[in-house]
């Protein structure tokens, strides 16, 4: 199955992509995860990436396209991937389309996770992650056993810089300006299925599983 998860920051794309990739044996490609990892580099590239993310801005299309296309050249993942956080602009979408067409890799579905603004803000500003292993927590509904400490590896829980309220509002604005247009783009191509990103993780997973079943994808 070849899938794109589309939706605003905080829709739960990463969470669903993780569950789906494990249960359906798909490769989860998250451009956000790739950039967070690359931003740790102690050189100029690392600094530039950190800057874009801290300001809630998008990384330039040429950089993003190059990274994703390079990954998709791997034949082992060409028929079983979930793209999470990519494409995010029309230029990225057309670049992906071109690559898929040239390599005869047909996309199966684009799932749009429609999510209300209040849910996005609550989820992102309340999210905490483990600074060591990256595990996710939330100040209201995913509490660690010991305050501020990761259950899995004992690392300290921190707030992502881009989850601070001001940056979250900026990310929502950038999404509305640069990414939301992709909903119509994929709707017109007949790929789009809309689900609610406001739902609980397990409930939404069940809905997606049913949807893939109905469409004959699993
Ligand atoms: P995410 O975890 O998907 O919200 O991504 C975190 C940050 O990485 C974003 O706010 C952007 O700065 C950058 N980023 C991730 N994916 C893309 C993309 N497809 N295009 C441009 N920037 C991206």
């Amino acid at each position: 199955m070849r899938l794109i998860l589309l939706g605003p920051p905080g829709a739960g794309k990463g969470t669903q992509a993780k569950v789906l990739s494990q249960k359906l044996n798909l490769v989860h490609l998250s451009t956000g995860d790739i950039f967070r990892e690359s931003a740790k580099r102690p050189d100029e590239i690392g600094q530039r990436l950190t800057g874009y993310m801290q300001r809630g801005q998008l990384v330039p299309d040429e950089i993003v396209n190059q990274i994703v296309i390079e990954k998709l050249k791997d034949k082992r993942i060409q028929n079983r991937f979930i793209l999470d956080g990519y494409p995010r602009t029309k230029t990225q979408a057309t670049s992906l389309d071109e690559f898929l067409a040239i390599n005869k890799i047909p996309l199966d579905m684009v799932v749009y996770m429609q999510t209300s603004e209040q849910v996005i803000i609550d989820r992102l500003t309340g999210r905490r992650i483990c600074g060591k292993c990256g595990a996710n927590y939330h100040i209201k509904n995913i509490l660690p056993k010991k305050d501020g400490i990761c259950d899995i590896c004992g690392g300290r829980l921190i707030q992502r810089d881009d989850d601070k309220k001001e940056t979250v509002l900026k990310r929502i604005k950038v999404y509305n300006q640069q990414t939301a247009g992709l909903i119509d783009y994929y709707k017109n191509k007949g790929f789009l299925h809309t689900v609610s990103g406001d739902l609980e993780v397990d409930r939404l997973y069940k809905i997606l599983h049913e949807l893939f079943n109905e469409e004959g994808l699993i």
Side-chain angles (χ1 to χ4, degrees), residues 186-213:
Y186 285 116
K187 196 186 276 172
N188 293 337
K189 285 177 178 280
F191 286 122
L192 201 83
H193 284 263
T194 302
V195 296
S196 169
D198 288 355
L199 297 173
E200 294 282 314
V201 177
D202 293 350
R203 177 88 191 94
L204 181 53
Y205 172 74
K206 280 196 189 112
I207 290 174
L208 289 174
H209 200 271
E210 270 165 35
L211 175 64
F212 300 153
N213 232 332

Side-chain angles (χ1 to χ4, degrees), residues 4 24 26 41 49 53 61 65-66 95 120 133 135 152 166-167 170 180 184 187 195 202:
I4 292 177
L24 304 175
L26 303 170
R41 291 167 54 148
L49 290 173
M53 289 195 275
D61 287 333
N65 283 333
Q66 208 183 346
S95 159
I120 298 174
C133 75
I152 301 165
E166 203 185 302
T167 315
K170 171 80 184 174
D184 277 343
K187 196 186 276 172
V195 296
D202 293 350

Side-chain angles (χ1 to χ4, degrees), residues 4-206:
I4 292 177
L5 295 185
L6 182 66
K13 302 185 295 296
T15 307
Q16 285 302 329
K18 271 194 198 93
V19 181
L20 289 168
S21 60
Q22 279 165 10
K23 303 226 178 192
L24 304 175
N25 190 26
L26 303 170
V27 176
H28 174 196
L29 280 177
S30 156
T31 41
D33 285 351
I34 294 171
F35 292 134
R36 269 183 291 284
E37 200 46 47
S38 307
K40 290 182 189 158
R41 291 167 54 148
D43 56 12
E44 201 202 313
I45 297 178
Q47 273 176 12
R48 276 182 63 195
L49 290 173
T50 304
Y52 292 123
M53 289 195 275
Q54 280 182 347
R55 291 188 295 271
Q57 291 171 339
L58 295 186
V59 174
D61 287 333
E62 313 81 67
I63 301 178
V64 192
N65 283 333
Q66 208 183 346
I67 287 173
V68 176
I69 301 298
E70 207 46 54
K71 297 252 177 217
L72 288 177
K73 281 183 186 163
D74 184 343
K75 295 242 181 295
R76 289 167 303 179
I77 67 171
Q78 287 184 350
N79 61 351
R80 51 186 194 98
F81 60 79
I82 305 181
L83 294 178
D84 153 23
Y86 179 91
R88 247 169 157 111
T89 64
K90 182 84 187 299
T91 310
Q92 291 178 18
T94 47
S95 159
L96 176 67
D97 275 353
E98 266 170 38
F99 176 82
L100 296 178
I102 292 170
N103 291 281
K104 301 193 172 52
I105 309 170
L107 201 58
D108 290 309
M109 192 186 282
V110 177
V111 172
Y112 166 44
M113 296 170 62
Q114 188 170 34
T115 314
S116 60
E117 194 162 310
Q118 199 51 52
V119 169
I120 298 174
I121 293 171
D122 288 348
R123 271 191 197 150
L124 293 184
T125 57
R127 173 163 65 182
R128 298 293 179 270
I129 58 161
C130 171
K132 217 161 143 195
C133 75
N136 263 294
Y137 295 85
H138 191 278
I139 55 167
K140 283 191 197 139
N141 45 37
I142 317 175
L143 297 165
K145 290 195 186 94
K146 199 172 162 206
D147 201 23
I149 303 292
C150 177
D151 293 345
I152 301 165
C153 74
R156 288 208 161 275
L157 302 191
I158 53 168
Q159 184 177 39
R160 265 169 56 174
D161 276 337
D162 60 347
D163 282 345
K164 306 224 159 95
K165 179 129 187 220
E166 203 185 302
T167 315
V168 167
L169 295 177
K170 171 80 184 174
R171 288 164 70 196
I172 294 173
K173 197 168 160 199
V174 167
Y175 168 81
N176 287 328
Q177 285 170 344
Q178 305 198 51
T179 310
L182 295 183
I183 299 165
D184 277 343
Y185 178 85
Y186 285 116
K187 196 186 276 172
N188 293 337
K189 285 177 178 280
F191 286 122
L192 201 83
H193 284 263
T194 302
V195 296
S196 169
D198 288 355
L199 297 173
E200 294 282 314
V201 177
D202 293 350
R203 177 88 191 94
L204 181 53
Y205 172 74
K206 280 196 189 112

